[in-house]
Amino acid sequence: EVQLLESGGNLRRPGGSLTLSCAASGFPFRTYAMSWVRQPLGKGLEWVAGISGSGDLPYYADSVKGRFTISRDNSRNTLFLEMNSLRRDDTARYHCVIDPWIQGNLALANVWGQGAPVAVS
Amino acid sequence: DIQMTQSPSSLSASVGDRVTITCRASQDISNFLAWYQQKPGKLPELLIYAASTLQSGVPSRFSGSGSGTDFTLTISSLQPEDIATYYCQKYDSGPKTFGQGTKLQIK
């Protein structure tokens, strides 16, 4: 079974830092690009950051560029999101998701973990 | 970065109505466009990819069209279970930006 399990969510003051982790299982992790998507309570989806399967190509939404860093450890099947200079508008539930577009295994697009809650206040 | 703009932001329609939601990209994204449905309290589910290809198991009343910068999601005959928020997402190179969402309600 394909699973994504996010952890590390917490309460932080504005300006603080936090690192989220996402443990992946049930699929060839290293061959898939991955992304972080966030959703504030009652609001829309926002794509935050993505990274290639090899980990050498990260990319970011303008709203987090320069503050967040996405990385991965393919030996541990784990995705990370390091968040610095946190702002109140970073408050959201953060989900890691699989980017299935290159490999074409579209069933993986519907695999979402329950997310990690981040509150900045 | 390429921006994705959906319209309308909310929509109220009757059961059986034909419903159309539009998504516009600020630059050409070819057909690298997906549509998701998110029902209240649930996680998003993929409806359509490659602008017009229906994901397995999705009812045939859903369809997608468009390429380049302008895309549409159509529900041919609205059903009560279609109450949800719908998002478009670009998935060409770089940021995989979502539209801001269209909240669909039953009139």
Side-chain angles (χ1 to χ4, degrees):
Chain A
E1 181 187 6
V2 178
Q3 287 191 320
L4 300 170
L5 183 61
E6 301 92 343
S7 61
N10 213 321
L11 170 66
R12 286 290 182 267
R13 299 287 192 191
S17 298
L18 192 62
T19 297
L20 305 181
S21 300
C22 171
S25 60
F27 68 103
F29 181 72
R30 67 178 63 245
T31 68
Y32 282 87
M34 299 288 294
S35 287
W36 288 95
V37 173
R38 68 185 180 184
Q39 187 166 33
L41 189 63
K43 297 191 177 181
L45 301 171
E46 182 184 10
W47 179 90
V48 172
I51 190 166
S52 60
S54 62
D56 61 355
L57 184 61
Y59 35 98
Y60 302 93
D62 286 345
S63 59
V64 306
K65 204 173 292 182
R67 300 188 300 121
F68 289 12
T69 301
I70 188 171
S71 62
R72 63 193 296 161
D73 183 342
N74 286 344
S75 68
R76 293 165 51 195
N77 286 1
T78 304
L79 181 72
F80 302 99
L81 185 67
E82 179 183 352
M83 302 183 291
N84 297 313
S85 303
L86 282 164
R87 309 188 306 216
R88 287 184 174 82
D89 62 1
D90 294 319
T91 295
R93 184 168 290 270
Y94 286 71
H95 300 271
C96 67
V97 299
I98 305 165
D99 290 339
W101 314 114
I102 294 176
Q103 287 78 3
N105 185 353
L106 280 308
L108 296 180
N110 284 337
V111 178
W112 290 60
Q114 288 305 305
V118 174
V120 184
S121 178
Chain B
D1 289 351
I2 297 174
Q3 305 303 311
M4 305 300 292
T5 304
Q6 285 181 236
S7 61
S9 55
S10 64
L11 174 59
S12 183
S14 299
V15 172
D17 281 355
R18 182 181 183 87
V19 171
T20 299
I21 298 168
T22 65
C23 177
R24 175 163 289 176
S26 60
Q27 296 177 39
D28 190 336
I29 59 169
S30 184
N31 69 334
F32 296 107
L33 193 281
W35 289 96
Y36 286 86
Q37 176 193 63
Q38 186 176 29
K39 295 183 178 181
K42 302 293 186 181
L43 294 167
E45 292 190 358
L46 179 67
L47 293 176
I48 287 169
Y49 61 96
S52 60
T53 303
L54 209 61
Q55 171 73 329
S56 177
V58 173
S60 59
R61 62 180 180 273
F62 291 92
S63 64
S65 65
S67 66
T69 60
D70 293 308
F71 304 88
T72 60
L73 171 69
T74 300
I75 307 173
S76 60
S77 177
L78 185 66
Q79 300 301 303
E81 60 267 30
D82 300 335
I83 297 311
T85 301
Y86 293 84
Y87 298 92
C88 62
Q89 184 192 27
K90 66 176 279 294
Y91 61 87
D92 62 344
S93 60
K96 308 289 188 279
T97 310
F98 287 97
Q100 78 276 22
T102 296
K103 187 174 184 178
L104 178 56
Q105 298 173 300
I106 295 288
K107 195 180 293 183

